Amino acid sequence: MQQSELADLKPKHFSWEVSDRIATIRLTRPERKNPLTFESYAELRDTFRALPYCSDIDVVVFASQGGNFCSGGDVHEIIGPLTKMNMKDLLAFTRMTGDLVKAMIHCTKPVIAAVDGICVGAGAIVAMASDLRIATPEAKCAFLFTRVGLAGCDMGACAMLPRIIGQGRAAELLYTGRSMSAAEGERWGFWNSLHEAADLDAEARKLAARIAAGPNFAHGITKTQLNQEWNMSLDQAIEAEAQAQAICMQTEDFTRAYNAFVAKETPVFKGN
């Protein structure tokens, strides 16, 4: 498939900025703590689906806005209408929300969630589906589906959250819907690190820049293997990684790294 460019994308339901091959997404309803709507779900899904074919972006930062990350599905624009839908339409909606998570997983670009304040419901799922997560000490993350009469198994939570923080901790959060404090989240491995709110964007940018400076074709292989190996035996995983690494050894970045090492220089990777 022909490569495309997304730097000039102009989404209607979130902000999109690209510089130095790093895309930054922010939900843009800070007065409501950045809830998701039917339209923003779909537009985010479509954007992440386009990223594997994008030639001008290497890393995505999903950032906060106005002191909060995301308050989940909008109560009036999503929750209310859902109570009036039939089963066919409800299933179409839940499949669409799950498609956002699948698109994030399969987008081939590392995704960093930079979370401040409220990060609940579908917002917590977006953070969970990211590859790396940093937060402020004020971040409050809750998988609060049971608090609105739903099951905790939403958008892949029962599959993914236990792999990040462990089965028992995930079960507690998914049964109770309680908030996980920032300190708990860092201790349990949900947050990679905590930073003051004033520093959060800069720290996310620093992490994204470090990744973007690396061998980005190989980063895509790493992301693919991290997700595909969930369903493999150890023997299958080792064989898959042997094949993946052999592919990476055919890249010019591998040769660049060797030549730079011999010359005692820092390699400059070009993603090919």
Side-chain angles (χ1 to χ4, degrees):
M1 186 171 182
Q2 187 175 7
Q3 291 281 291
S4 60
E5 295 186 352
L6 290 179
D8 294 329
L9 183 71
K10 292 180 171 52
K12 295 181 180 178
H13 303 288
F14 53 88
S15 71
W16 173 265
E17 299 174 8
V18 178
S19 63
D20 300 323
R21 304 185 64 81
I22 300 167
T24 300
I25 292 171
R26 298 179 198 273
L27 298 175
T28 52
R29 299 175 70 191
E31 74 284 356
R32 300 280 298 279
K33 300 180 181 177
N34 304 315
L36 287 161
T37 64
F38 293 120
E39 294 79 15
S40 58
Y41 264 123
E43 193 169 32
L44 284 166
R45 174 203 60 196
D46 293 344
T47 300
F48 278 100
R49 281 179 172 175
L51 280 167
Y53 313 105
C54 167
S55 61
D56 59 346
I57 293 167
D58 292 325
V59 183
V60 177
V61 175
F62 206 123
S64 299
Q65 177 85 292
N68 292 293
F69 185 69
C70 174
S71 57
D74 188 283
V75 172
H76 302 294
E77 296 183 40
I78 286 187
I79 307 302
L82 289 178
T83 65
K84 300 176 176 63
M85 286 186 186
N86 60 34
M87 178 58 71
K88 180 181 177 181
D89 291 339
L90 288 170
L91 186 56
F93 168 73
T94 54
R95 283 175 171 162
M96 186 262 287
T97 63
D99 282 344
L100 169 57
V101 172
K102 289 188 280 188
M104 291 178 68
I105 290 170
H106 297 303
C107 77
T108 74
K109 319 290 183 182
V111 180
I112 300 168
V115 175
D116 187 19
I118 296 300
C119 174
V120 300
I125 297 289
V126 168
M128 178 193 74
S130 300
D131 299 281
L132 298 166
R133 293 164 293 276
I134 66 174
T136 66
E138 293 75 35
K140 293 179 174 60
C141 186
F143 299 82
L144 43 64
F145 308 108
T146 58
R147 291 166 61 181
V148 294
L150 297 176
C153 54
D154 196 45
M155 300 169 70
C158 283
M160 298 175 71
L161 190 61
R163 289 179 165 96
I164 300 171
I165 65 173
Q167 183 82 4
R169 290 164 177 162
E172 181 196 353
L173 295 182
L174 295 176
Y175 279 126
T176 66
R178 76 166 179 85
S179 289
M180 173 178 61
S181 71
E184 283 179 320
E186 184 184 34
R187 188 167 68 247
W188 294 351
F190 190 81
W191 306 123
N192 292 91
S193 57
L194 299 180
H195 307 277
E196 293 302 320
D199 302 325
L200 184 64
D201 282 354
E203 292 294 334
R205 184 82 188 179
K206 185 189 304 182
L207 179 56
R210 180 175 181 179
I211 295 171
N216 288 296
F217 176 83
H219 286 337
I221 296 287
T222 299
K223 176 159 183 164
T224 297
Q225 293 306 124
L226 278 168
N227 289 300
Q228 287 188 348
E229 290 182 28
W230 285 2
N231 300 314
M232 295 181 187
S233 69
L234 182 56
D235 280 357
Q236 290 171 326
I238 291 171
E239 174 59 22
E241 292 191 5
Q243 295 183 25
Q245 205 69 303
I247 292 169
C248 291
M249 288 173 182
Q250 284 277 296
T251 64
E252 293 181 27
D253 275 346
F254 181 59
T255 303
R256 290 185 186 103
Y258 169 73
N259 291 336
F261 178 81
V262 171
K264 298 183 179 179
E265 298 173 349
T266 301
V268 178
F269 295 114
K270 297 183 180 180
N272 62 356

